[in-house]
Amino acid sequence: MKIKFLGTSAGWPLPRLGCKDKICSSTDNKDIRTRSQALVNDILLLDLGPDTYTHLKNPKVDPTKIKYAAITHEHPDHTLGLWDLSHTYLNGKRTKIKVIVSPRTLSKIRFMFFPNEYIVLKTNPDQKMVVDGLKISLLPVNHTKDSSFGIFVEEGSRKLFWAPDFKSLPAETIKIIKGSNLIAVDGSELQVRTPSHQTIEEGIELARQIGPKMAYFIHLGHRILPHTKLETFVKERGGDHFNIAYDGLEVEI
Protein backbone atom coordinates (compact mmCIF):
# COMPACT_ATOMS: atom_id res chain seq x y z
CA MET A 1 0.00 0.00 0.00
CA LYS A 2 1.43 3.36 -1.04
CA ILE A 3 0.54 6.50 0.91
CA LYS A 4 1.35 10.02 -0.26
CA PHE A 5 0.86 12.75 2.33
CA LEU A 6 -0.33 15.62 0.13
CA GLY A 7 -1.03 18.00 3.02
CA THR A 8 -0.42 17.91 6.77
CA SER A 9 -1.71 21.16 8.34
CA ALA A 10 -4.72 21.76 10.53
CA GLY A 11 -7.63 23.94 9.35
CA TRP A 12 -5.34 26.83 8.37
CA PRO A 13 -2.10 26.32 6.45
CA LEU A 14 1.39 27.13 7.67
CA PRO A 15 2.94 29.66 7.60
CA ARG A 16 0.05 31.85 8.68
CA LEU A 17 -0.36 35.13 6.83
CA GLY A 18 1.70 37.92 8.39
CA CYS A 19 2.98 35.73 11.23
CA LYS A 20 6.68 35.79 12.16
CA ASP A 21 6.83 33.24 14.99
CA LYS A 22 9.32 30.34 15.07
CA ILE A 23 7.19 28.08 12.86
CA CYS A 24 5.98 30.68 10.38
CA SER A 25 9.48 32.12 9.93
CA SER A 26 11.11 28.69 9.58
CA THR A 27 13.27 28.13 6.49
CA ASP A 28 12.66 24.36 6.60
CA ASN A 29 10.38 23.33 3.72
CA LYS A 30 8.83 20.72 6.02
CA ASP A 31 7.28 23.59 7.99
CA ILE A 32 5.30 24.70 4.91
CA ARG A 33 2.03 22.84 5.33
CA THR A 34 -1.28 22.71 3.46
CA ARG A 35 -4.55 21.18 4.67
CA SER A 36 -4.34 17.48 5.57
CA GLN A 37 -4.96 15.07 2.71
CA ALA A 38 -3.47 11.77 1.52
CA LEU A 39 -3.54 9.61 -1.59
CA VAL A 40 -3.57 5.81 -1.33
CA ASN A 41 -2.34 3.65 -4.22
CA ASP A 42 -2.83 6.64 -6.54
CA ILE A 43 -6.61 5.95 -6.64
CA LEU A 44 -8.10 6.86 -3.25
CA LEU A 45 -8.07 10.37 -1.78
CA LEU A 46 -8.45 10.73 1.97
CA ASP A 47 -10.31 13.98 2.70
CA LEU A 48 -11.02 16.83 0.32
CA GLY A 49 -9.83 20.11 1.78
CA PRO A 50 -9.49 23.47 0.00
CA ASP A 51 -5.95 22.63 -1.19
CA THR A 52 -7.14 19.65 -3.25
CA TYR A 53 -6.66 21.42 -6.58
CA THR A 54 -3.11 22.46 -5.70
CA HIS A 55 -2.27 18.96 -4.43
CA LEU A 56 -3.52 17.29 -7.60
CA LYS A 57 -1.45 19.62 -9.80
CA ASN A 58 1.69 18.16 -8.23
CA PRO A 59 3.71 16.46 -11.00
CA LYS A 60 4.02 13.37 -8.77
CA VAL A 61 0.22 12.95 -8.78
CA ASP A 62 -1.89 11.85 -11.74
CA PRO A 63 -5.46 13.08 -11.08
CA THR A 64 -6.83 10.96 -13.92
CA LYS A 65 -6.05 7.81 -11.88
CA ILE A 66 -8.19 8.87 -8.92
CA LYS A 67 -11.42 6.89 -8.69
CA TYR A 68 -12.51 7.39 -5.07
CA ALA A 69 -12.46 9.94 -2.28
CA ALA A 70 -13.36 9.26 1.35
CA ILE A 71 -14.39 12.02 3.77
CA THR A 72 -13.87 11.96 7.54
CA HIS A 73 -16.34 14.71 8.49
CA GLU A 74 -18.13 17.79 7.24
CA HIS A 75 -15.81 20.63 8.25
CA PRO A 76 -14.66 22.87 5.37
CA ASP A 77 -10.99 21.91 5.63
CA HIS A 78 -12.09 18.37 4.72
CA THR A 79 -14.81 19.04 2.14
CA LEU A 80 -14.24 22.24 0.15
CA GLY A 81 -12.24 20.33 -2.45
CA LEU A 82 -15.44 18.64 -3.60
CA TRP A 83 -15.98 21.67 -5.83
CA ASP A 84 -12.71 21.35 -7.73
CA LEU A 85 -12.60 17.56 -7.87
CA SER A 86 -15.95 17.54 -9.67
CA HIS A 87 -14.18 18.90 -12.77
CA THR A 88 -11.59 16.21 -13.44
CA TYR A 89 -11.16 15.05 -17.03
CA LEU A 90 -9.98 11.82 -18.67
CA ASN A 91 -9.59 11.64 -22.46
CA GLY A 92 -11.49 14.88 -22.84
CA LYS A 93 -14.49 13.77 -20.81
CA ARG A 94 -15.37 14.72 -17.26
CA THR A 95 -15.04 11.76 -14.88
CA LYS A 96 -17.34 10.95 -11.97
CA ILE A 97 -15.39 10.38 -8.77
CA LYS A 98 -17.01 8.01 -6.26
CA VAL A 99 -17.28 9.70 -2.86
CA ILE A 100 -17.34 7.44 0.21
CA VAL A 101 -19.08 9.20 3.07
CA SER A 102 -21.29 8.48 6.06
CA PRO A 103 -24.94 9.51 5.62
CA ARG A 104 -24.57 11.48 8.86
CA THR A 105 -21.66 13.44 7.43
CA LEU A 106 -23.30 13.95 4.05
CA SER A 107 -26.37 15.50 5.67
CA LYS A 108 -24.19 18.13 7.36
CA ILE A 109 -22.15 19.32 4.38
CA ARG A 110 -23.54 22.84 4.14
CA PHE A 111 -22.39 24.11 0.77
CA MET A 112 -23.56 23.20 -2.71
CA PHE A 113 -21.18 20.70 -4.26
CA PHE A 114 -23.33 19.37 -7.09
CA PRO A 115 -23.76 15.73 -6.01
CA ASN A 116 -24.83 14.86 -9.57
CA GLU A 117 -21.16 15.33 -10.48
CA TYR A 118 -20.22 12.42 -8.18
CA ILE A 119 -21.33 8.90 -7.43
CA VAL A 120 -21.98 9.03 -3.67
CA LEU A 121 -21.30 5.74 -1.88
CA LYS A 122 -22.92 6.02 1.52
CA THR A 123 -21.45 3.78 4.17
CA ASN A 124 -22.00 3.21 7.90
CA PRO A 125 -19.46 2.22 10.58
CA ASP A 126 -20.58 -1.42 10.54
CA GLN A 127 -20.00 -1.70 6.79
CA LYS A 128 -16.88 -2.36 4.73
CA MET A 129 -16.67 -1.20 1.16
CA VAL A 130 -14.35 -3.03 -1.23
CA VAL A 131 -12.94 -0.95 -4.09
CA ASP A 132 -10.04 -1.99 -6.33
CA GLY A 133 -8.65 -4.38 -3.74
CA LEU A 134 -9.00 -1.92 -0.85
CA LYS A 135 -11.40 -2.51 2.05
CA ILE A 136 -12.61 0.81 3.42
CA SER A 137 -14.41 1.33 6.73
CA LEU A 138 -15.53 4.52 8.45
CA LEU A 139 -14.88 4.15 12.19
CA PRO A 140 -16.38 6.58 14.74
CA VAL A 141 -14.14 9.15 16.44
CA ASN A 142 -15.08 11.75 19.04
CA HIS A 143 -14.86 15.16 17.33
CA THR A 144 -18.22 16.46 16.10
CA LYS A 145 -21.42 15.27 17.74
CA ASP A 146 -22.08 12.18 15.61
CA SER A 147 -20.64 12.72 12.14
CA SER A 148 -16.85 12.32 12.48
CA PHE A 149 -14.97 9.20 11.48
CA GLY A 150 -11.53 7.78 10.90
CA ILE A 151 -10.91 6.05 7.58
CA PHE A 152 -9.63 2.49 7.96
CA VAL A 153 -8.07 1.08 4.79
CA GLU A 154 -7.05 -2.56 4.43
CA GLU A 155 -5.15 -4.17 1.58
CA GLY A 156 -4.56 -7.82 2.41
CA SER A 157 -2.84 -7.84 5.80
CA ARG A 158 -1.74 -4.19 5.53
CA LYS A 159 -3.77 -1.67 7.50
CA LEU A 160 -3.90 2.13 7.53
CA PHE A 161 -5.94 4.31 9.89
CA TRP A 162 -6.40 7.98 8.90
CA ALA A 163 -7.97 10.23 11.54
CA PRO A 164 -6.93 13.89 11.35
CA ASP A 165 -9.54 15.26 13.80
CA PHE A 166 -10.60 13.81 17.13
CA LYS A 167 -10.54 14.36 20.87
CA SER A 168 -10.60 10.66 21.69
CA LEU A 169 -11.38 7.29 20.12
CA PRO A 170 -14.20 4.96 21.19
CA ALA A 171 -13.07 1.63 22.61
CA GLU A 172 -14.55 -0.26 19.65
CA THR A 173 -12.52 1.82 17.17
CA ILE A 174 -9.33 1.17 19.15
CA LYS A 175 -10.09 -2.55 19.15
CA ILE A 176 -10.46 -2.66 15.35
CA ILE A 177 -7.30 -0.68 14.51
CA LYS A 178 -4.96 -2.38 17.00
CA GLY A 179 -1.73 -3.48 15.40
CA SER A 180 -2.22 -1.40 12.24
CA ASN A 181 0.80 -0.94 10.01
CA LEU A 182 0.38 2.84 10.05
CA ILE A 183 -1.83 5.31 11.86
CA ALA A 184 -2.01 8.99 10.87
CA VAL A 185 -3.66 10.91 13.69
CA ASP A 186 -4.55 14.34 15.02
CA GLY A 187 -1.56 16.53 15.91
CA SER A 188 -3.41 19.85 16.14
CA GLU A 189 -1.91 20.76 19.50
CA LEU A 190 1.30 19.91 21.32
CA GLN A 191 0.16 20.38 24.91
CA VAL A 192 -2.73 22.89 24.89
CA ARG A 193 -5.97 21.00 25.60
CA THR A 194 -9.07 21.91 23.58
CA PRO A 195 -12.61 20.47 23.49
CA SER A 196 -12.33 18.76 20.08
CA HIS A 197 -8.69 17.79 19.45
CA GLN A 198 -6.21 15.57 21.24
CA THR A 199 -2.73 16.86 22.01
CA ILE A 200 0.36 15.21 20.56
CA GLU A 201 1.26 14.14 24.10
CA GLU A 202 -2.13 12.42 24.39
CA GLY A 203 -1.64 10.93 20.93
CA ILE A 204 1.58 9.26 22.03
CA GLU A 205 -0.25 7.60 24.92
CA LEU A 206 -3.11 6.57 22.62
CA ALA A 207 -0.70 5.04 20.11
CA ARG A 208 0.76 2.90 22.87
CA GLN A 209 -2.70 1.36 23.28
CA ILE A 210 -3.07 0.80 19.54
CA GLY A 211 0.41 -0.60 18.97
CA PRO A 212 0.98 0.41 15.33
CA LYS A 213 4.18 -0.37 13.48
CA MET A 214 4.36 3.33 12.50
CA ALA A 215 2.59 6.36 13.93
CA TYR A 216 2.45 9.70 12.10
CA PHE A 217 0.99 12.97 13.37
CA ILE A 218 -0.96 15.02 10.82
CA HIS A 219 -3.36 18.00 11.01
CA LEU A 220 -0.54 19.97 12.60
CA GLY A 221 -1.50 23.30 14.12
CA HIS A 222 0.14 26.61 14.98
CA ARG A 223 0.95 25.93 18.65
CA ILE A 224 3.40 23.10 18.10
CA LEU A 225 7.14 23.12 17.30
CA PRO A 226 9.10 23.44 14.07
CA HIS A 227 9.34 20.12 12.26
CA THR A 228 12.82 19.02 13.36
CA LYS A 229 12.21 19.78 17.05
CA LEU A 230 8.77 18.15 16.92
CA GLU A 231 10.21 15.01 15.34
CA THR A 232 12.75 14.81 18.16
CA PHE A 233 9.99 15.41 20.73
CA VAL A 234 7.82 12.49 19.60
CA LYS A 235 10.72 10.07 19.20
CA GLU A 236 12.10 10.85 22.65
CA ARG A 237 8.69 10.34 24.27
CA GLY A 238 7.27 7.61 22.06
CA GLY A 239 10.06 5.80 20.25
CA ASP A 240 11.56 5.55 16.80
CA HIS A 241 8.27 4.46 15.20
CA PHE A 242 6.72 7.87 15.98
CA ASN A 243 7.00 10.43 13.20
CA ILE A 244 5.83 13.86 12.06
CA ALA A 245 4.35 13.77 8.56
CA TYR A 246 5.14 16.55 6.11
CA ASP A 247 3.76 17.64 2.76
CA GLY A 248 5.11 15.41 -0.01
CA LEU A 249 6.11 12.49 2.24
CA GLU A 250 5.64 9.08 0.61
CA VAL A 251 5.44 5.89 2.67
CA GLU A 252 4.87 2.27 1.66
CA ILE A 253 3.54 -0.39 4.01
Side-chain angles (χ1 to χ4, degrees), residues 3-98:
I3 303 130
K4 295 179 181 178
F5 291 87
L6 304 179
T8 54
S9 82
W12 286 266
L14 295 169
R16 300 285 171 84
L17 296 172
C19 181
K20 302 297 182 184
D21 71 4
K22 57 188 176 182
I23 291 177
C24 294
S25 61
S26 170
T27 58
D28 186 347
N29 284 337
K30 292 178 181 177
D31 286 316
I32 299 173
R33 301 183 184 276
T34 53
R35 268 60 67 101
S36 289
Q37 185 174 44
L39 182 62
V40 178
N41 286 358
D42 296 321
I43 63 168
L44 170 66
L45 277 173
L46 305 181
D47 277 322
L48 289 171
D51 299 304
T52 296
Y53 179 81
T54 300
H55 292 164
L56 300 189
K57 286 187 67 182
N58 186 315
K60 293 185 178 181
V61 176
D62 184 352
T64 67
K65 291 183 178 179
I66 296 169
K67 299 179 182 179
Y68 311 96
I71 294 174
T72 55
H73 65 296
E74 68 273 11
H75 288 162
D77 56 316
H78 300 268
T79 55
L80 285 178
L82 280 162
W83 179 273
D84 289 329
L85 193 66
S86 68
H87 284 62
T88 303
Y89 290 79
L90 178 62
N91 298 325
K93 294 183 179 180
R94 201 184 319 173
T95 61
K96 279 200 172 187
I97 306 295
K98 298 178 176 68

Side-chain angles (χ1 to χ4, degrees), residues 166-168 186-206 223-224 233:
F166 63 86
K167 178 64 176 176
S168 62
D186 193 336
S188 301
E189 301 284 353
L190 181 61
Q191 296 169 313
V192 176
R193 295 175 185 265
T194 66
S196 55
H197 294 278
Q198 71 168 1
T199 66
I200 289 175
E201 285 188 334
E202 290 170 328
I204 291 171
E205 293 304 313
L206 175 64
R223 292 183 292 210
I224 52 169
F233 180 92

Side-chain angles (χ1 to χ4, degrees), residues 169-228:
L169 298 182
E172 186 60 28
T173 295
I174 293 175
K175 180 179 177 182
I176 293 170
I177 66 174
K178 273 197 171 184
S180 292
N181 296 80
L182 189 152
I183 62 171
V185 295
D186 193 336
S188 301
E189 301 284 353
L190 181 61
Q191 296 169 313
V192 176
R193 295 175 185 265
T194 66
S196 55
H197 294 278
Q198 71 168 1
T199 66
I200 289 175
E201 285 188 334
E202 290 170 328
I204 291 171
E205 293 304 313
L206 175 64
R208 290 196 176 107
Q209 297 179 51
I210 298 168
K213 292 181 174 63
M214 292 184 283
Y216 283 85
F217 286 99
I218 54 172
H219 206 267
L220 296 155
H222 198 206
R223 292 183 292 210
I224 52 169
L225 296 169
H227 180 89
T228 301

Side-chain angles (χ1 to χ4, degrees), residues 112-175:
M112 181 70 71
F113 71 94
F114 301 115
N116 60 308
E117 305 291 349
Y118 297 95
I119 299 171
V120 178
L121 306 177
K122 298 178 183 179
T123 186
N124 289 304
D126 58 348
Q127 298 174 320
K128 284 187 180 182
M129 184 166 291
V130 181
V131 295
D132 285 57
L134 299 175
K135 292 181 182 178
I136 302 169
S137 310
L138 299 179
L139 305 180
V141 304
N142 298 318
H143 178 56
T144 57
K145 184 177 180 182
D146 63 355
S147 56
S148 290
F149 301 87
I151 302 168
F152 189 48
V153 184
E154 301 170 84
E155 184 182 37
S157 62
R158 290 158 291 181
K159 299 175 181 179
L160 161 69
F161 182 62
W162 169 270
D165 290 67
F166 63 86
K167 178 64 176 176
S168 62
L169 298 182
E172 186 60 28
T173 295
I174 293 175
K175 180 179 177 182

Side-chain angles (χ1 to χ4, degrees), residues 213-253:
K213 292 181 174 63
M214 292 184 283
Y216 283 85
F217 286 99
I218 54 172
H219 206 267
L220 296 155
H222 198 206
R223 292 183 292 210
I224 52 169
L225 296 169
H227 180 89
T228 301
K229 290 184 178 180
L230 193 57
E231 184 90 1
T232 299
F233 180 92
V234 299
K235 289 186 181 298
E236 286 180 348
R237 286 160 176 75
D240 286 341
H241 62 298
F242 282 84
N243 304 276
I244 302 300
Y246 56 88
D247 291 24
L249 173 66
E250 297 185 20
V251 177
E252 190 161 350
I253 59 175

